Amino acid sequence: MRFRVEVTGGAVGAAALAMLFTVTIPVDSAAADKSNPGSEPARISAATWTPTATLNNGPIRECYAAGCAEVWRPGPGETLRWSHYAYNSSGNRWYYVQYVVGNGTPHTFYGWIYCGNVTASC
């Protein structure tokens, strides 16, 4: 199974891409590879987190495939932020997001959400 990542400004080699992000972009099935960005929130750093909102209660998942485990399920109209996106082997666009929930002591969840579940473009 192969994945491709959309990079603005032209094609960038794997080594150059690794220098741009401090997170790991999964190449093979992230369900089998727990080194994907959703599994280690302490390593996450992004140049920009762009706000978007949920359209429905679609889940945030551990990887960018419908069969991956759910991390959290935000309700409709919730605000979350995305840093980058990837396409899975079916050609579906998924956004890597952070979602903060909680009063007093907030909890931050990281994972992937299908583009059809958020206001960001598909």
Side-chain angles (χ1 to χ4, degrees), residues 32-119:
D33 178 12
K34 292 300 180 183
S35 67
N36 70 54
S39 64
E40 296 185 39
R43 296 184 338 148
I44 294 172
S45 173
T48 304
W49 287 100
T50 305
T52 188
T54 56
L55 295 171
N56 49 40
N57 66 336
I60 296 171
R61 298 190 179 274
E62 287 184 350
C63 69
Y64 42 95
C68 296
E70 286 186 26
V71 174
W72 188 261
R73 189 176 285 266
E78 297 287 331
T79 299
L80 39 85
R81 290 170 174 72
W82 65 272
S83 66
H84 59 280
Y85 59 86
Y87 292 92
N88 64 13
S89 62
S90 299
N92 297 318
R93 185 182 211 173
W94 290 71
Y95 287 94
Y96 186 71
V97 296
Q98 72 173 190
Y99 176 67
V100 179
V101 63
N103 294 326
T105 306
H107 299 282
T108 304
F109 295 93
Y110 295 91
W112 295 90
I113 194 165
Y114 173 63
C115 67
N117 295 329
V118 293
T119 57

